[in-house]
Amino acid sequence: MSDTIFHKIIRREIPADIVYEDEHLVAFRDIAPQAPVHVLFVPKVDFATLNDVPMTQAEVVGRLAVAAADYAKREGFAEDGYRIVMNCNANAGQTVFQVHLHLLAGAPLGRFGTAR
Ligand code: AMP
């Protein structure tokens, strides 16, 4: 396994506020939330970016999205709505090179595409 901060969280080497885990992925609260709810869904298999996920392993990405939707339903904000985001490489501002999906919710969200 690689050695990003997310791998360390998966291995429990550094703390995180983990809200969900199964055999395939871990979900934990973002340390710098950009919305009232900001949870990261991270697979337990190594892919640095979305570019690195082959079509034969598309389920890795699908599970992140469906796990996020399930979390939204369990937490009661699925009907109000939420956004899922995956940043890929420099122009999207990706900072952690283990593929992950952001779940943002809890308030009306601005339109996407604004610079950080
Ligand atoms: P990205 O820009 O898509 O690579 O997103 C990486 C996210 O990881 C950012 O939103 C960071 O705030 C978040 N992050 C970085 N370190 C941690 C950490 N130790 N625990 C939780 N979230 C983190």
Side-chain angles (χ1 to χ4, degrees):
M1 182 177 256
S2 302
D3 210 26
T4 70
I5 199 155
F6 291 173
H7 293 94
K8 291 176 180 163
I9 288 171
I10 291 169
R11 294 196 300 260
R12 304 297 202 275
E13 291 171 8
I14 62 169
D17 187 357
I18 293 174
V19 298
Y20 176 76
E21 180 168 19
D22 64 25
E23 65 187 301
H24 302 292
L25 62 94
V26 173
F28 50 90
R29 292 188 198 284
D30 197 292
I31 203 168
Q34 302 298 305
V37 176
H38 188 171
V39 175
L40 301 170
F41 291 77
V42 184
K44 292 182 177 178
V45 289
D46 286 1
F47 293 110
T49 79
L50 186 57
N51 291 341
D52 301 305
V53 182
M55 190 58 80
T56 52
Q57 294 190 59
E59 72 276 5
V60 171
V61 176
R63 281 197 191 96
L64 301 181
V66 176
D70 284 350
Y71 179 79
K73 292 175 202 169
R74 279 197 306 280
E75 293 296 310
F77 59 81
E79 293 305 317
D80 284 342
Y82 56 88
R83 179 172 297 152
I84 61 173
V85 174
M86 297 182 78
N87 293 322
C88 184
N89 282 334
N91 276 3
Q94 184 176 359
T95 57
V96 179
F97 287 86
Q98 163 67 357
V99 74
H100 54 278
L101 178 146
H102 297 253
L103 170 65
L104 300 153
L109 302 166
R111 296 302 293 174
F112 29 66
T114 53
R116 288 196 282 187

